[in-house]
Amino acid sequence: MDRTSTGTWVTAGDTVPGGAAKANRTQTYRGGRIAQPGIPASLARTAGFAVVYAAAILAGRMTVISGSRLALMWPAAGVAMIWFCAQRRSRVRWADYVALTVIAFVGNSFTGTGPVLGVFLAMANLVQVSVFMMLFTWRKPTLWGAGGSARLSSPRDLGCVLGMIVVAVVCSGMICHAALWLFLGQAPGLSVMAWPARELASAVVLGTAGLWFGPAVSAFRERHGSVAGWWRSADRALRAMSAWRVAEYLAVALCSVVAYLIGFVYDDGLPLAFPLMAFTVWAAVRLRTGFVVLHTLALGGAAVVFTMHGEGPMAEVADPQMRALLAQFFVVLVAVVGLALALGRDERASLVKELAAQKELETRHAALMGAVIDSMADGLSVIDAQGRVELRNPAGVRLFGDGTETAEAVHRVRQLDGTALTSDSLPSARALAGEKVEPVDVLVTDPEGNDPRIFRVSATPLQDACGARRAVVLFHDVSAERRHREQLAGFAGVVAHDLLSPLTAVEGWTDVAAEALDAAPEHAALDRSRDSLTRVTRAATRMRGLINDLLAYTTARDAELAQDLVDLGTMVADIAAVRTDAAVAAGRPAPQVTVGRLDPVHADVGAVRQLLDNLIGNAVKYTARGVVPQVHVTSASVDGMVQVTVADNGIGIPAGQHAAIFDDFHRAHEGAGYAGTGLGLAICQRIVARQGGTIRAEDNPGGGSRFTFTLPEVDPPAPGGHAELAALTATLPTTSAPTRGVFTAAAVV
């Protein structure tokens, strides 16, 4: 049975007709965690490990030092660790605990310790493996044996496992020494250390070896299929290995054998154990980790065997307990040093490989980004904090030149009206100050001040990981586009003006025909004619509105501006009164306008009146049916400009269209039953822009919309001068009661 999720479940076992697997199947999980095997398979594995554990106990009892009851090594501790790691997902784990306890009790009771002490030793063994598994599962859940499928991969993993082994051995040692104290009357001095030392040595040497080879054994069937498959894979790997590397493996093995024979057999009583560590280091820093694990197992076993037979430097120690401690310390030291060095080398190799892959990926990414930037039709420049050009793509060089300093831009970049820009007002300088500069049109000349062109420029601040700030500037030439647009706008104005005469004739003759039909007797054909004339009249009215808007747009674009003092309060009140009369005459609710203090501005009176009239007209029109339009108009002085805010309770602006509503012919509520041409707010934006201000739309927190625009502030009067302005300012109301008139700056035309 196969099942795919994060990995693949694979069932190994006999199958019956129809493809169903038998109940005694075992399962492994490819690419993830190991699955739970079936109950029969779990019991079979329990029995196998039980046999190995019993043999390990017998082997440990065979290492008892002559003249004492202390075993030199206790491989059962390492076997138990491997056993319970392999059975981590068994469905009958209780069988493993029972088998271990029974075997430990029998093995210890009938090999010299007695039944009562055997019970405590069995409890100590059970506590040891249980504590280790609990800590292992908690701290390293991704490793094989703890619930995952990974193997030891770093010295940190090894250190964590060693710490867990020490804690588990200490917990079991407390039980063991309590039993020795109770039944022997006292715990002999070095035996307090000897028992935990042998458990620790066995768990470290055999346990870490099991944790290393466990993942490969668990995945053996899915990787190789059989022993023959493994042999073929090993043969291919061996053939792919260089002759020098094979020679090095053989040299390490041969030199280790010779060195251990000299150090333990032909040492002539000299303490030659410490130079043997060099061969472990050699293997650990040069050869594969699996070979290092086998190497340390073999060398550790050889040291124990030689010591048992009275050979080697440890055998010279008269005290058997001290002899055992030294032998165990040597074995643990060889295993830990070898595995720590090998895992550290593997970790470094993995990090170097990962770093190389990341570097290659970043190189490809940089090459791709470079190709994208070079292929852009828009100019791009990256400016550093000192104003130097760090990067400029080919389009940027073609459009602006290859200058490396932004200081020259001060002499070449101007506003559209020809006004010079200061170094601090350049888009790149504003971006370096942390401001995101939205697209703005500027006038750019060549280095000699000739060939003026219009660029649309935007700039974005960019901060790297070290905190250094840069500016990314995008620009492209919109001169042809603007000329084309200006030509179209001019053409539209001319056409609109020329259409007024025939449109007036159409409206006039329509009125004449309607009057003639009204005087005629009733007839069905005449009713159809009246209906047709009504449709013609509505169409002519819509056409006149479009023509008027086109003429207003052209006027807002081209008309000469006459800057003068504008009393916004009086102007808003007058517009509100006109809108109120129109609403009452049409039978609609009378709008209510609340006017706060409105500062005077220095602008073109006709243009400002058209601006406010468009906004107020929109507010009245785009109010929900049955709702009384309410508008609040206020102003404030901000950086030498008067900021006027018009808030309403209208139907609002659809999400995402707050900027688009100022585009030509854009209608935010098209199809909602509101008439319009889509030019009203474009006219407003043109008027404000020509006065040197800005306009924006946003949602009103109380519902509806809020338009905010800026106009030039009136210069403060000189002492004794501008009496008219002083008198006007003194008479401006701080607040005014709601007037009968609505202004809802809500939706768009």
Side-chain angles (χ1 to χ4, degrees):
M1 177 181 65
D2 291 350
R3 185 178 70 185
T4 302
S5 57
T6 307
T8 305
W9 292 93
V10 180
T11 299
D14 297 331
T15 57
V16 297
K22 289 185 178 180
N24 65 344
R25 61 185 179 272
T26 58
Q27 295 175 330
T28 57
Y29 181 63
R30 292 178 182 167
R33 297 174 180 265
I34 299 174
Q36 291 183 349
I39 293 177
S42 296
L43 292 175
R45 293 170 65 175
T46 298
F49 277 110
V51 172
V52 176
Y53 184 70
I57 289 180
L58 293 177
R61 299 304 301 176
M62 293 172 62
T63 65
V64 173
I65 300 175
S66 178
S68 72
R69 295 193 298 174
L70 183 65
L72 188 62
M73 292 297 292
W74 195 251
V79 172
M81 179 175 163
I82 300 172
W83 178 359
F84 277 73
C85 285
Q87 290 288 81
R88 171 68 177 79
R89 291 187 170 272
S90 172
R91 298 184 183 181
V92 287
R93 293 192 67 191
W94 58 267
D96 299 300
Y97 287 101
V98 171
L100 181 138
T101 305
V102 171
I103 295 171
F105 168 73
V106 173
N108 285 287
S109 298
F110 293 95
T111 54
T113 60
V116 178
L117 189 57
V119 170
F120 282 89
L121 293 178
M123 290 176 54
N125 292 332
L126 183 61
V127 168
Q128 179 174 305
V129 72
S130 299
V131 171
F132 172 78
M133 290 304 301
M134 179 184 67
L135 295 175
F136 192 39
T137 304
W138 171 48
R139 294 295 299 168
K140 293 293 179 181
T142 60
L143 294 183
W144 177 87
S149 60
R151 61 172 38 161
L152 294 174
S153 59
S154 68
R156 179 176 296 179
D157 288 345
L158 177 62
C160 189
V161 170
L162 293 179
M164 298 172 195
I165 292 175
V166 170
V167 172
V169 168
V170 169
C171 292
S172 64
M174 294 172 63
I175 298 176
C176 178
H177 288 95
L180 291 176
W181 183 270
L182 289 175
F183 294 101
L184 298 181
Q186 61 178 353
L190 288 178
S191 65
V192 175
M193 298 177 58
W195 193 91
R198 73 175 192 181
E199 299 285 323
L200 180 64
S202 175
V204 169
V205 176
L206 291 178
T208 54
L211 291 179
W212 177 260
F213 289 110
V217 174
S218 297
F220 179 85
R221 182 177 294 275
E222 65 175 279
R223 291 180 59 189
H224 306 293
S226 63
V227 175
W230 170 82
W231 178 257
R232 288 191 296 270
S233 177
D235 182 63
R236 286 194 299 269
L238 185 61
R239 291 178 183 275
M241 191 179 299
S242 66
W244 284 105
R245 182 47 61 95
V246 174
E248 188 172 11
Y249 275 99
L250 295 176
V252 169
L254 181 60
C255 292
S256 299
V257 171
V258 173
Y260 269 71
L261 286 175
I262 294 174
F264 280 89
V265 180
Y266 306 109
D267 55 348
D268 292 331
L270 298 176
L272 299 179
F274 66 91
L276 304 178
M277 192 65 67
F279 297 95
T280 299
V281 174
W282 180 8
V285 299
R286 292 286 300 165
L287 306 181
R288 296 182 64 176
T289 305
F291 178 84
V292 175
V293 173
L294 295 176
H295 185 264
T296 55
L297 278 175
L299 297 186
V304 171
V305 171
F306 286 138
T307 303
M308 283 180 55
H309 289 80
E311 302 288 348
M314 274 78 78
E316 301 295 329
V317 179
D319 188 340
Q321 295 179 351
M322 180 58 71
R323 189 188 317 157
L325 283 175
L326 291 176
Q328 291 154 4
F329 176 75
F330 178 78
V331 172
V332 170
L333 187 62
V334 169
V336 171
V337 169
L339 196 54
L341 289 176
L343 291 176
R345 180 207 59 206
D346 290 347
E347 184 179 31
R348 288 191 300 273
S350 176
L351 291 176
V352 169
K353 184 177 179 180
E354 182 180 348
L355 182 62
Q358 184 67 25
K359 184 178 180 180
E360 182 181 357
L361 179 63
E362 290 180 356
T363 301
R364 292 200 302 266
H365 182 70
L368 177 62
M369 290 297 295
V372 171
I373 291 174
D374 290 345
S375 65
M376 291 173 56
D378 292 348
L380 181 143
S381 296
V382 178
I383 315 297
D384 65 11
Q386 287 71 41
R388 294 188 297 266
V389 178
E390 288 188 343
L391 171 69
R392 180 168 286 163
N393 67 346
V397 174
R398 185 180 68 254
L399 292 173
F400 201 84
D402 56 358
T404 59
E405 299 288 340
T406 58
E408 64 176 277
V410 177
H411 307 291
R412 298 179 55 187
V413 180
R414 296 177 176 273
Q415 295 182 4
L416 293 181
D417 59 1
T419 306
L421 290 173
T422 63
S423 58
D424 294 336
S425 61
L426 288 173
S428 58
R430 292 165 59 189
L432 288 174
E435 178 185 355
K436 180 177 174 60
V437 182
E438 299 297 335
V440 59
D441 290 349
V442 296
L443 192 66
V444 180
T445 64
D446 60 17
E448 288 74 28
N450 303 320
D451 188 22
R453 292 174 295 168
I454 298 176
F455 283 4
R456 180 158 297 162
V457 183
S458 63
T460 304
L462 179 66
Q463 190 167 352
D464 61 19
C466 298
R469 178 168 288 175
R470 293 175 174 80
V472 179
V473 182
L474 282 173
F475 52 94
H476 66 279
D477 192 341
V478 296
S479 302
E481 175 186 339
R482 287 181 65 93
R483 282 196 300 269
H484 183 63
R485 192 170 63 187
E486 297 291 335
Q487 291 171 357
L488 287 177
F491 175 75
V494 172
V495 171
H497 183 272
D498 292 343
L499 287 176
L500 282 177
S501 179
L503 178 62
T504 302
V506 169
E507 291 175 332
W509 286 111
T510 301
D511 292 340
V512 171
E515 291 175 359
L517 290 176
D518 290 340
E522 294 296 329
H523 190 275
L526 295 179
D527 291 339
R528 289 195 298 272
S529 299
R530 291 189 185 96
D531 182 65
S532 299
L533 284 176
T534 301
R535 294 174 184 272
V536 171
T537 302
R538 285 201 298 265
T541 302
R542 288 196 300 271
M543 187 173 182
R544 178 170 290 278
L546 175 60
I547 292 173
N548 288 336
D549 283 345
L550 287 172
L551 291 174
Y553 183 77
T554 303
T555 301
R557 181 178 62 90
D558 297 328
E560 195 73 27
L561 296 178
Q563 306 292 342
D564 202 353
L565 178 69
V566 180
D567 178 6
L568 293 181
T570 302
M571 185 175 290
V572 169
D574 183 50
I575 293 173
V578 173
R579 292 292 177 177
T580 298
D581 294 341
V584 172
R588 296 191 302 269
Q592 297 180 355
V593 178
T594 302
V595 183
R597 179 181 178 85
L598 293 177
D599 298 320
V601 298
H602 187 67
D604 185 271
V605 177
V608 173
R609 183 178 185 86
Q610 187 176 17
L611 166 67
L612 291 172
D613 189 59
N614 280 2
L615 293 176
I616 292 175
N618 278 357
V620 173
K621 179 167 57 174
Y622 292 104
T623 303
R625 290 174 176 80
V627 176
V628 177
Q630 296 180 356
V631 184
H632 188 59
V633 185
T634 58
S635 74
S637 179
V638 179
D639 297 331
M641 303 289 285
V642 175
Q643 179 176 283
V644 182
T645 301
V646 183
D648 65 66
N649 65 335
I651 60 176
I653 303 171
Q657 299 192 38
H658 293 76
I661 58 175
F662 295 103
D663 294 341
D664 298 342
F665 301 104
H666 180 87
R667 299 194 61 206
H669 297 283
E670 189 173 3
Y674 297 95
T677 62
L679 282 173
L681 290 179
I683 294 171
C684 293
Q685 185 183 46
R686 174 65 65 176
I687 291 173
V688 172
R690 292 194 68 196
Q691 304 290 338
T694 60
I695 185 171
R696 69 178 186 272
E698 55 191 356
D699 295 331
N700 189 12
S705 304
R706 183 167 59 189
F707 285 82
T708 303
F709 62 89
T710 58
L711 294 173
E713 191 176 33
V714 177
D715 294 333
H722 297 291
E724 180 183 355
L725 173 61
L728 173 63
T729 304
T731 58
L732 288 176
T734 56
T735 58
S736 64
T739 59
R740 295 187 47 144
V742 168
F743 165 64
T744 67
V748 296
V749 178

